[in-house]
Amino acid sequence: MSDADQIDLTTCDQELIHFIGAVQPHGALIAIDAKTHIIDYVSENTEHFVGFTPEMILGKPLSYLIGEENSARAQQMSLQPSTPELLKPWFISFERPNGTTINAECLPHGNDGHVIFEFFEPEPTPAPVWEDELSRQAVISELLKPGDLNDLADASARLIRDVIGFDRVMIYKFAEDKHGEVIAESTSRDDSFLGMHYPASDIPDPARRHFTLNVMRSIPDINSDRVPIVSRSGQIADADSATPLDLTFSKLRAVAPVHVQYLNNMGVSASMSISLVTNNELWGLVACHHYSKRLISSSRLRFAELLGSTTSTLLQNLENTAQLRTGIQAEKTAFYIEQQVRSGRALRDLIEEQALKIMTLIDVQGMCLVLGGAVLHVGKVPKELLDFTVFRDELNEGIATTEHLPSIIKMNEDQKECAAGAALLDLSDDGEDYLVFLRRSYDQTVNWAGKPEKIETIDENGIKRLSPRGSFALWSEERRGKSKPFDAIIRDALRILRRAFFALNSLERERIALDAQKQAEAEEIRLRHALLDAARANSLGELASAIAHELNQPLSAIANYVSACRQELRNANVTIPERAGVLIEDAVIETERAGDLVRRVRDFITRGDLNTEYIDLNKVIQQGVDLALVTCQLPDLKVNVRQDLTIPKVLADPVQIGQVMLNLARNSIAAMKHSDNQVLTIGVTQQTGFVQVTVSDSGSGIPADVAKYIFEPFHTSTTKGMGIGLSLCRSIIEAHSGKIWFEPSQSGAILSFKLPISENENG
Amino acid sequence: MDKDADKFSIYVVEDDDAVLRSLCALLTAHGFETVACTSAEQFLDRYDPAKKAFMILDLRLPGMSGLQLQTHLNELNVKIPIVVVTGHGDVPIAVQAMRAGAVDFIEKPAHEDRILKAVETASGLLFNRRPALVSKKIVVDRLEKLTDREREVLHHLLLGKLNKEIASELDVSQRTVEGHRSRIRDKMQARGIADLIRMVG
């Protein structure tokens, strides 16, 4: 709280203005005890208005003053205060002691065990206000027609000024923080207060309470002398006396010194105000200023009061409508976005698409959307992204708003300019996703008027007092760097938007998670297919290679035999007939041609180069094992994969090595089919210059005579395939400049292979 | 051929029975003495260091492989000339064997002339008749006749790569590689890869 606020609180708030013990001089006050009807209090100016001096009537019954008939009538009146209460004048006549007739306009009301009668001079003839056709038309056409709050306030100010003829009529609207803004003005003067803001302290809480309870206040002459009210004991009935009189509902109540000063500082001589009260809350104020004394006739006063209360009701309706409209617009936008998201569009794109509409709706200039790790900026945002972490502490049901963000998080000048105020909408439970709306500071949106003057003055008693003239400056000081607050209407709209966005984001997150899962599954399937394809292609290539090798043997033998045969004939001195010689040579050539043919077929089928890259063997081994387990039909199988996470990467073809692992694991699993104990252990270890993979099982093992041939094609022992699995493994491992071998074991079989560690990658 | 004066044996190490018997039959028909072995282990069992001999070794053997036997013999400091026999597609291994000291290599199935030529090379060594070494200068002269592309292909050939691999690596057709190979053979005056390895490998 600023020092200025404190000054205000220690003075105005302490003043018990309803115990001021005095009235303004344009009327007289008489208060009776509600039960005994004895006159307990009178203002000292009674003689002028009712023809009796205070001494004459104090302690006398009311009937002594106004006669039996009037007194009886007064007792029948419903005099308890009600708010808001339209003025109900009683035009009264009674006789003075000297026999002349007094005609007065009386406003009676009951309060706190007393009935207070306020007497005014009657109007010579009632002003033809309401009766005036034009006024009626004006009220109906100008006041009832506007659909906009500002238009209505304008019309109201204009009409009231027409009726009371003041120099200036302003309509204040109080914000949630109780500060006031002039939303409409009708004036004959050159200067204008329209759009100006006043701090909440301008109308201290006691005054605010009085404005709510006593809606009409007329001060025809600011600087008139106050007229004291005296009690039967002769004391002035103010706050210092033993029996003060409560003037809460009095129309004549004298003006508090601070208010006199306030108005004087503005050069105002006469003032009138009508409270705009909705739902027992002070919504606003019609403040009328005149720069010379001005007494308004009762009938005009009453008409102005009627206009004021009509305006109140209409304003409330309009405001409700505006709130409803904002809410409906928010719902419409949320609904549109929801529909689009459900039809597959991204929430982020939609918020971006609707950004300007949303920002206009909730009256902000910038927006930051953090969604799914991406940041979107729209409108006026700081160059350097703000960290909203601390602001999150303010979250209440997923929403935090502030009109002064710099008091919550640390900000640089640029950030302060764009983000004086902010509203944060939480879009996920984990705090990862959120939407922030930024409001610039009031400095940029409000037209400042006047220069700051002295904010406080010292009165004759040495007490610091607020100079109302400086209030606008004070307000601007108070507001510096702050934004327009996020009011109830906007907060409602934010709630609507947040509810929709949060739900849609949850939905979208689920969808993304599901997609990711699907993608992972698809990737696994693709890998499996790649491995199986490779297996098939490799098998075919290996088969072709094996056939080529195996066929080459007999072809070689045939060529050798034929050549040997020819040589033996020569050795035996048999002259080979020329044609027979040609045939022998043809036979040899044909074996070569057959060999060539086999090679071509093999070359055609065999896959080309290895697609090597630096791979993490742990991962590739795990994939191979996993793949083998997919088709494994041993429910009790235990699998241990002992990885060494420190191994360097090796230059190898991941698909081919995966293939080797798949084959080895499959062989092991097949060998354990009838074993009681089924354990498959795969170890990855590093050795000097190599990474070694060892696959051991608890299966039937491999007999020594078979072990010799297991890496040869077509020597099937364990598998029901063609018997080229291990031969293929050897081809692959050797193509990687590695080695594969078999070790005898007490139980089961151990097959190992090792791959060289490339020096390039691992140094 | 003056066989009596230059008496020697040929160990034939080959796991395929038919190949082994037919090769021995051919060599015998040409008057050579052969010792048939069906595995590396059997060779080690039967080998008599006292006899003059060389070996025709199939690289693909069950148990101890041809290369392993060669390494083993090198370690034992057994200086027996080795002619390696390979199936097509095992050329990289054959190149490895050549680098490890094999004197020649034959691809299966091989023509009689090719086999006899290899025997001549190997037996020549037994009697210090080394194959006429082509002088370094001549090799350099021949190499200079090669185009850049041919030199590139030669490099791949010396690494023991297949035509198909070279074609894929150079992004050309196999037929083109075959053309390069034939021109390299002509320009280098080499009968085959074994000659090339001897010259520049």
Side-chain angles (χ1 to χ4, degrees):
Chain A
M1 201 177 274
S2 71
D3 288 346
D5 283 337
Q6 277 168 4
I7 295 162
D8 168 53
L9 281 176
T10 52
T11 54
C12 294
D13 276 8
Q14 280 176 0
E15 283 178 41
L16 301 170
I17 52 178
H18 54 296
F19 289 142
I20 196 164
V23 293
Q24 298 178 65
H26 65 283
L29 179 143
I30 290 167
I32 59 167
D33 184 290
K35 284 183 185 136
T36 62
H37 298 180
I38 299 297
I39 297 172
D40 279 347
Y41 303 92
V42 293
S43 59
E44 285 180 348
N45 60 349
T46 47
E47 189 173 7
H48 177 73
F49 291 93
V50 297
F52 291 81
T53 62
E55 297 76 29
M56 290 166 72
I57 50 177
L58 268 173
K60 300 275 184 355
L62 180 65
S63 54
Y64 177 77
L65 174 66
I66 59 173
E68 292 293 344
E69 201 180 320
N70 281 327
S71 181
R73 193 173 159 197
Q75 284 171 50
Q76 287 161 8
M77 287 179 179
S78 166
L79 297 171
Q80 286 314 303
S82 66
T83 52
E85 181 190 37
L86 291 175
L87 298 174
K88 279 174 275 183
W90 180 18
F91 299 100
I92 190 171
S93 298
F94 52 88
E95 290 201 346
R96 292 171 92 171
N98 64 7
T100 56
T101 300
I102 292 286
N103 286 310
E105 199 174 319
C106 177
L107 291 173
H109 73 269
N111 185 26
D112 196 25
H114 286 95
V115 177
I116 295 172
F117 297 89
E118 293 175 279
F119 293 91
F120 301 87
E121 281 184 27
E123 283 176 81
T125 49
V129 187
W130 180 242
E131 292 72 10
D132 187 333
E133 188 70 18
L134 284 174
S135 291
R136 274 206 299 272
Q137 274 180 1
V139 170
I140 292 165
S141 68
E142 292 185 38
L143 209 54
L144 300 185
K145 203 170 60 185
D148 176 82
L149 197 137
N150 288 319
D151 290 349
L152 171 64
D154 275 348
S156 179
R158 200 167 55 246
L159 280 170
I160 291 172
R161 199 168 79 83
D162 278 352
V163 170
I164 62 175
F166 268 45
D167 291 329
R168 190 191 307 277
V169 174
M170 295 175 286
I171 296 190
Y172 283 48
K173 182 188 177 206
F174 297 121
E176 275 180 36
D177 67 354
K178 297 180 179 174
H179 97 267
E181 178 186 358
V182 180
I183 61 166
E185 184 185 37
S186 172
T187 181
S188 59
R189 311 269 290 192
D190 291 335
D191 57 344
S192 169
F193 296 146
L194 185 64
M196 279 182 42
H197 293 253
Y198 297 89
S201 56
D202 248 27
I203 303 176
D205 279 345
R208 210 172 281 272
R209 192 170 65 89
H210 279 279
F211 276 124
T212 311
L213 296 174
N214 193 346
V215 299
M216 187 78 186
R217 181 100 171 107
S218 172
I219 308 172
D221 179 4
I222 293 301
N223 297 307
S224 62
D225 293 329
R226 48 168 78 175
V227 181
I229 297 170
V230 291
S231 63
R232 284 162 68 184
S233 64
Q235 284 183 310
I236 293 176
D238 63 9
D240 295 332
S241 81
T243 51
L245 181 64
D246 184 348
L247 297 177
T248 300
F249 300 97
S250 163
K251 299 298 164 198
L252 280 173
R253 193 182 73 230
V255 187
V258 67
H259 194 52
V260 171
Q261 188 187 12
Y262 181 101
L263 295 170
N264 272 330
N265 285 344
M266 285 193 280
V268 170
S269 296
S271 152
M272 195 187 97
S273 68
I274 308 166
S275 309
L276 300 175
V277 178
T278 62
N279 301 325
N280 292 327
E281 293 279 334
L282 191 60
W283 185 94
L285 203 60
V286 181
C288 313
H289 291 168
H290 201 67
Y291 295 88
S292 56
K293 296 176 201 173
R294 188 168 178 84
L295 179 65
I296 304 297
S297 70
S298 312
S299 49
R300 283 183 190 275
L301 218 55
R302 287 198 300 276
F303 190 65
E305 187 188 27
L306 185 66
L307 282 176
S309 63
T310 307
T311 302
S312 273
T313 311
L314 291 173
L315 283 173
Q316 189 179 6
N317 277 343
L318 275 181
E319 203 170 52
N320 288 348
T321 308
Q323 180 160 8
L324 211 60
R325 202 181 290 142
T326 303
I328 287 170
Q329 189 58 53
E331 291 280 16
K332 266 168 87 178
T333 305
F335 181 68
Y336 168 78
I337 290 178
E338 183 180 338
Q339 271 187 323
Q340 294 291 310
V341 168
R342 291 195 189 276
S343 70
R345 293 186 61 192
L347 179 59
R348 183 181 187 279
D349 295 348
L350 284 155
I351 295 178
E352 183 171 13
E353 181 192 293
Q354 298 292 313
L356 288 180
K357 199 185 252 181
I358 295 170
M359 285 162 60
T360 308
L361 182 69
I362 57 177
D363 190 18
V364 292
Q365 294 75 43
M367 184 182 103
C368 290
L369 174 65
V370 180
L371 194 64
V375 181
L376 170 70
H377 285 170
V378 181
K380 200 158 164 48
V381 294
K383 287 181 200 78
E384 199 179 320
L385 187 64
L386 285 159
D387 178 2
F388 293 103
T389 314
V390 185
F391 189 31
R392 299 186 59 81
D393 294 344
E394 315 273 319
L395 279 174
N396 179 18
E397 291 180 8
I399 297 176
T401 59
T402 178
E403 59 188 62
H404 196 220
L405 194 57
S407 64
I408 298 172
I409 61 183
K410 209 169 172 256
M411 293 164 76
N412 63 32
E413 285 310 310
D414 168 57
Q415 290 168 332
K416 283 178 187 167
E417 198 182 311
C418 305
L424 189 148
L425 315 190
D426 211 11
L427 301 187
S428 68
D429 285 326
D430 57 13
E432 295 284 323
D433 299 335
Y434 54 90
L435 178 59
V436 184
F437 294 111
L438 301 176
R439 263 188 190 171
R440 60 191 173 189
S441 71
Y442 247 136
D443 315 30
Q444 295 159 287
T445 55
V446 173
N447 290 322
W448 301 109
K451 282 184 181 173
E453 291 171 23
K454 266 196 294 186
I455 287 172
E456 59 190 63
T457 56
I458 311 293
D459 70 7
E460 62 273 20
N461 299 322
I463 295 167
K464 278 186 187 176
R465 287 199 180 275
L466 179 72
S467 151
R469 188 65 177 185
S471 60
F472 190 59
L474 174 67
W475 185 82
S476 72
E477 201 51 48
E478 208 179 274
R479 277 281 145 193
R480 195 163 301 283
K482 287 186 183 174
S483 77
K484 198 169 144 190
F486 289 87
D487 63 21
I489 297 178
I490 298 301
R491 288 202 306 274
D492 264 350
L494 290 174
R495 265 191 288 279
I496 290 165
L497 292 174
R498 189 255 172 187
R499 197 169 51 224
F501 293 171
F502 187 92
L504 293 173
N505 189 37
S506 303
L507 200 74
E508 196 166 85
R509 280 183 163 209
E510 275 170 33
R511 195 159 67 190
I512 288 168
L514 204 66
D515 284 353
Q517 193 188 337
K518 275 186 192 156
Q519 208 177 339
E521 280 166 8
E523 177 61 23
E524 202 185 311
I525 289 168
R526 192 197 64 78
L527 183 73
R528 195 179 298 165
H529 282 166
L531 266 180
L532 292 178
D533 279 354
R536 222 168 283 133
N538 272 330
S539 295
L540 199 57
E542 191 64 18
L543 181 63
S545 183
I547 288 171
H549 179 74
E550 296 300 315
L551 266 183
N552 267 338
Q553 306 286 44
L555 287 173
S556 287
I558 292 165
N560 289 341
Y561 280 135
V562 172
S563 301
C565 198
R566 180 172 55 189
Q567 190 57 37
E568 291 296 353
L569 287 173
R570 283 180 192 142
N571 292 349
N573 289 323
V574 175
T575 308
I576 299 168
E578 195 187 331
R579 279 181 59 199
V582 172
L583 293 175
I584 289 169
E585 187 56 27
D586 281 353
V588 172
I589 289 170
E590 282 306 302
T591 61
E592 282 171 5
R593 197 167 71 87
D596 217 38
L597 201 66
V598 169
R599 277 171 216 169
R600 282 176 192 280
V601 171
R602 198 205 67 149
D603 279 358
F604 179 72
I605 294 171
T606 310
R607 277 240 165 137
D609 299 339
L610 296 170
N611 291 314
T612 58
E613 57 190 272
Y614 285 97
I615 59 166
D616 177 1
L617 211 51
N618 289 314
K619 213 165 128 190
V620 173
I621 293 304
Q622 187 66 54
Q623 281 172 347
V625 174
D626 289 347
L627 200 55
L629 293 176
V630 169
T631 54
C632 173
Q633 288 170 349
L634 307 180
D636 299 327
L637 177 68
K638 290 191 196 75
V639 181
N640 302 320
V641 179
R642 294 181 188 141
Q643 302 187 336
D644 177 354
L645 297 177
T646 66
I647 58 164
K649 292 193 169 180
V650 294
L651 185 61
D653 183 328
V655 173
Q656 302 276 18
I657 299 299
Q659 178 66 43
V660 170
M661 192 57 237
L662 172 64
N663 282 353
L664 295 181
R666 269 187 182 164
N667 284 350
S668 289
I669 290 167
M672 289 188 283
K673 200 170 170 187
H674 302 293
S675 303
D676 294 336
N677 185 28
Q678 299 172 340
V679 184
L680 173 63
T681 306
I682 293 110
V684 182
T685 53
Q686 187 181 351
Q687 291 171 1
T688 317
F690 288 93
V691 175
Q692 181 170 327
V693 178
T694 302
V695 181
S696 42
D697 64 55
S698 57
S700 48
I702 300 169
D705 56 330
V706 179
K708 234 168 133 181
Y709 300 106
I710 57 167
F711 293 111
E712 296 298 312
F714 309 124
H715 291 286
T716 172
S717 60
T718 53
T719 62
K720 38 190 171 156
M722 288 179 296
I724 56 169
L726 287 174
S727 146
L728 169 64
C729 290
R730 185 181 66 174
S731 299
I732 291 172
I733 296 300
E734 285 178 355
H736 283 85
S737 307
K739 195 182 168 221
I740 186 165
W741 69 96
F742 164 77
E743 290 167 36
S745 161
Q746 293 291 336
S747 59
I750 301 175
L751 278 133
S752 304
F753 67 87
K754 58 182 186 178
L755 296 173
I757 296 167
S758 163
E759 284 168 15
N760 295 342
E761 174 85 341
N762 303 293
Chain B
M1 225 178 269
D2 188 5
K3 284 159 200 158
D4 290 334
D6 304 333
K7 191 94 178 133
F8 63 91
S9 309
I10 304 173
Y11 290 90
V12 181
V13 187
E14 166 66 62
D15 65 316
D16 188 285
D17 196 44
V19 178
L20 180 63
R21 277 172 49 206
S22 66
L23 188 54
C24 289
L26 180 61
L27 294 170
T28 308
H30 283 282
F32 301 111
E33 190 188 317
T34 59
V35 182
C37 309
T38 57
S39 69
E41 290 83 353
Q42 202 174 51
F43 164 80
L44 291 172
D45 197 38
R46 294 186 178 177
Y47 176 61
D48 180 358
K51 280 192 196 167
K52 264 203 170 85
F54 73 91
M55 169 166 50
I56 296 177
L57 174 65
D58 187 356
L59 287 176
R60 245 180 209 258
L61 292 172
M64 183 186 269
S65 77
L67 274 183
Q68 284 170 325
L69 177 60
Q70 189 188 20
T71 311
H72 186 60
L73 292 174
N74 281 344
E75 282 165 4
L76 294 174
N77 213 16
V78 174
K79 306 257 188 227
I80 175 167
I82 298 173
V83 173
V84 295
V85 179
T86 69
H88 184 81
D90 286 337
V91 178
I93 305 175
V95 170
Q96 229 178 309
M98 288 292 286
R99 291 187 199 282
V103 297
D104 204 350
F105 84 85
I106 305 166
E107 271 186 272
K108 281 194 247 184
H111 193 269
E112 184 183 16
D113 292 349
R114 183 74 194 86
I115 295 168
L116 293 178
K117 185 73 200 163
V119 168
E120 192 188 322
T121 306
S123 60
L125 272 177
L126 290 176
F127 303 99
N128 290 324
R129 291 200 299 269
R130 299 205 153 265
L133 270 180
V134 186
S135 81
K136 198 149 192 161
K137 177 159 187 328
I138 292 172
V139 173
V140 171
D141 287 348
R142 288 177 188 169
L143 277 172
E144 275 180 353
K145 288 182 194 154
L146 299 182
T147 63
D148 287 349
R149 192 56 162 206
E150 285 161 359
R151 233 171 261 146
E152 203 173 348
V153 173
L154 173 61
H155 174 72
H156 287 298
L157 287 173
L158 292 174
L159 291 175
K161 289 193 181 155
L162 300 176
N163 283 358
K164 184 174 174 159
E165 291 170 335
I166 299 171
S168 137
E169 211 150 315
L170 301 182
D171 205 17
V172 295
S173 71
Q174 283 197 55
R175 197 167 290 276
T176 309
V177 176
E178 278 161 22
H180 285 310
R181 275 184 84 144
S182 119
R183 278 190 295 282
I184 292 166
R185 275 200 302 274
D186 288 349
K187 290 179 181 174
M188 297 298 291
Q189 298 176 28
R191 281 166 306 162
I193 190 121
D195 279 353
L196 288 172
I197 292 168
R198 270 195 292 272
M199 271 189 262
V200 287

